[in-house]
Amino acid sequence: MSKTECKAAKELTKAMDETMQRLQGRFQAITEHLEEQIDEMGTRISFLEESVTELMTQADMDEEPISEVADVLPQ
């Protein structure tokens, strides 16, 4: 291998290493962002479940059988 080829190979290796480091950094940032969004969505779902349960309790729907509710609905 000539000196020129050796230098070119080293430069290419350096460029590839830098590119891989940038990609790894971007991947890590995206992963962290997705994890934050998933955690936030989990919190929102929990809040929604609590709200639905509370509304059902307020409406006494959790104690009424479905057939009784159907009898009250207009046809």
Side-chain angles (χ1 to χ4, degrees):
M1 198 185 242
S2 71
K3 287 185 179 184
T4 305
E5 290 174 333
C6 186
K7 183 178 178 183
K10 287 180 182 179
E11 289 174 358
L12 182 58
T13 300
K14 182 180 176 185
M16 289 303 298
D17 285 342
E18 290 171 356
T19 301
M20 292 303 292
Q21 288 176 357
R22 278 197 314 273
L23 287 173
Q24 185 176 4
R26 289 180 183 172
F27 181 77
Q28 184 66 34
I30 290 170
T31 300
E32 290 171 4
H33 181 69
L34 287 174
E35 287 173 350
E36 290 172 5
Q37 288 184 326
I38 289 170
D39 289 343
E40 182 179 338
M41 187 61 68
T43 301
R44 289 180 177 185
I45 289 171
S46 295
F47 179 75
L48 181 60
E49 288 174 337
E50 291 171 10
S51 297
V52 168
T53 301
E54 183 179 319
L55 288 171
M56 288 177 65
T57 301
Q58 289 175 359
D60 291 329
M61 290 184 68
D62 56 336
E63 296 178 8
E64 290 184 33
I66 293 176
S67 60
E68 290 180 20
V69 174
D71 291 340
V72 176
L73 296 175
Q75 295 183 6

